[in-house]
Amino acid sequence: MADSEVLRAEKFAARYFETKAVRFCRAEDALLSVLSALDLSCGGEIIVSANLCTDISAFVRSREVKFVFSDLCHGSFVPSQEDIVAKLTDRTKAVVVSHSFGSLCCFEELSEKLKQMNIPFIEECAGCAGSVYFSDGKILRPGASGIGCVIEPEFALICCHDEAFAEKLPLSDSVSAANFMRRQPDFERINGRRKLAGSKYRLLIHENALLPFVSFPQSGSASFASASLCPLCVRDRDGLKEYLASRSISCGTQSYAFENTGCTVFEKLKNELLLLPLGTEISEAEQEEIISHIKYFYRDKNCNLQ
C-alpha cells in the first residue's frame, strides 16, 4: 500500500471517527503503542479496569509501574467511574478502561477531571469500529473522551485528539490501513445485523422464561452491536457450555489479561459469562434452536422451567 493510500486512509478514518489524527497498527500492538508513547516514570501507578483483555503486564514491569485495578458497575461490564476516581492519587500516571463487547460508555466527565490532573486517559474499544453512542444529544464515536484504541480482529486504529501526541506514535502499518479501508463500507451493515440478532436473543430469552437463569449484563450507553459474540451471564456456565457443545453449538468464554484482580463485581461476572454465536449470517431459526437447547438444559436440571 503506497504512502499516499495510507495517508488517504488516515484522513478518512479521522473524519469518520471525528478525531484529529489516527494511526493504524496490528490489533495486538494498539494499546502498547499508546503506552510506549507516554512518559511513564518509575514508581508510578496505572489504573486499569479489571475487564481489560490486552496483556500489558510485561510492558508495565519493564517500566517499574504498578497496576491498580478498578471494578465494574454492578451487574455490567461497564467500568465504574466512581471506583476509578476513588483510586486516583498523585502517583497515577495513566488510566486505561475497556469497552467490552462493543459496548460504549460516556466518559466525558471522567476525562475532563483527568485532563485537569494531567493524567492520560486511554480507552480500549475492542470490537467497536462503526459503533456510536449518545451523550447530551450528541452522537459520539469510540475514543471520544480519551485516546481511543479501536480494535478489530484484522486491524486497530488509534484515535488521537492531540496531533502532537500522534507524532510520538509509530507510522501506520500499511496492511492494517488496507484492512480498514476494505472493511469500512460494511461497518454500518454488519453492526445493524448484529444488533438485530442480539435483540432476537433477548426476546427469545424472555419468551422462554429463562430469567433469572440467563441474563444480559448491562451495556452502558450502547448495545452490543459490534460484538461478534452475544454476552450472557448464566448459571452453571461450564456445564451449559459443555451441554451446548455436545449438540454442536460452539459458545465462547472471554480471556482476560489479569487473574485475581480483587474486584468483586468483575470476578463474579467473568465466571458467569458465556458468549453465544452472533455472526452476521446467523438465522432466526438457528437462534431459536440455541435458546431451546438452553431451556432444555435448565429444565433437565430441575430449574422449574415449563
Side-chain angles (χ1 to χ4, degrees):
M1 194 176 191
D3 290 346
S4 60
E5 292 177 319
V6 172
L7 182 60
R8 183 171 67 87
E10 288 179 347
K11 288 182 176 179
F12 176 86
R15 291 196 306 272
Y16 187 88
F17 287 91
E18 299 172 359
T19 189
K20 289 186 179 297
V22 300
R23 291 290 185 273
F24 291 97
C25 59
R26 297 186 304 171
E28 60 270 26
D29 294 338
L31 186 55
L32 290 176
S33 294
V34 172
L35 291 172
S36 297
L38 298 176
D39 181 21
L40 299 177
S41 57
C42 295
E45 297 175 346
I46 297 181
I47 297 178
V48 178
S49 60
N51 61 328
L52 189 72
C53 295
T54 304
D55 189 355
I56 56 175
S57 303
F59 172 84
V60 170
R61 282 197 300 270
S62 71
R63 302 299 175 97
E64 298 182 19
V65 179
K66 178 185 175 183
F67 282 123
V68 175
F69 297 108
S70 62
D71 209 347
L72 308 178
C73 296
H74 180 71
S76 78
F77 279 91
V78 176
S80 169
Q81 300 187 55
E82 290 184 2
D83 196 38
I84 292 171
V85 170
K87 292 174 177 175
L88 290 171
T89 71
D90 57 2
R91 298 184 300 279
T92 304
K93 302 301 180 184
V95 173
V96 183
V97 299
S98 180
H99 297 279
S100 293
F101 312 115
S103 171
L104 293 172
C105 313
C106 182
F107 288 109
E108 286 183 298
E109 186 174 332
L110 174 63
S111 178
E112 188 59 34
K113 180 178 182 65
L114 295 175
K115 189 182 298 183
Q116 293 172 3
M117 299 174 69
N118 199 29
I119 297 174
F121 179 51
I122 304 163
E123 298 178 80
E124 183 197 50
C125 309
C128 286
S131 292
V132 296
Y133 65 98
F134 301 91
S135 174
D136 295 329
K138 295 182 292 184
I139 299 176
L140 301 176
R141 294 190 180 275
S145 301
I147 303 167
C149 304
V150 182
I151 301 168
E152 289 289 301
E154 298 177 341
F155 67 88
L157 61 87
I158 302 168
C159 300
C160 303
H161 301 292
D162 183 343
E163 291 178 285
F165 180 79
E167 293 300 318
K168 299 179 183 179
L169 296 168
L171 296 177
S172 289
D173 172 63
S174 59
V175 174
S176 299
N179 286 337
F180 168 79
M181 293 303 287
R182 180 174 58 82
R183 280 280 314 281
Q184 184 277 324
D186 293 332
F187 284 157
E188 279 79 7
R189 181 185 64 81
I190 291 172
N191 290 345
R193 180 67 187 87
R194 288 174 177 167
K195 188 172 183 178
L196 287 174
S199 298
K200 179 65 175 180
Y201 273 133
R202 290 176 183 269
L203 178 62
L204 289 169
I205 284 170
H206 282 280
E207 287 180 343
N208 286 275
L210 284 169
L211 299 173
F213 310 108
V214 178
S215 62
F216 287 87
Q218 296 173 14
S219 58
S221 302
S223 70
F224 297 110
S226 290
S228 57
L229 295 163
C230 180
L232 300 177
C233 290
V234 300
R235 288 190 189 180
D236 189 8
R237 188 267 309 273
D238 294 337
L240 176 58
K241 184 173 183 288
E242 183 178 347
Y243 177 86
L244 293 174
S246 71
R247 280 139 182 87
S248 302
I249 299 171
S250 179
C251 297
T253 55
Q254 181 67 56
S255 297
Y256 290 98
F258 308 103
E259 297 289 338
N260 303 317
T261 62
C263 296
T264 307
V265 176
F266 170 72
E267 294 297 335
K268 179 178 183 295
L269 285 177
K270 78 174 184 180
N271 293 321
E272 299 175 345
L273 181 65
L274 184 69
L275 303 174
L276 298 186
L278 192 64
T280 56
E281 304 305 322
I282 190 168
S283 68
E284 291 192 2
E286 289 171 323
Q287 289 184 277
E288 290 168 359
E289 181 183 2
I290 291 170
I291 296 300
S292 69
H293 282 303
I294 293 175
K295 183 176 181 178
Y296 293 148
F297 171 79
Y298 287 114
R299 187 182 64 184
D300 291 345
K301 292 178 69 68
N302 298 316
C303 290
N304 298 319
L305 285 174
Q306 299 299 318

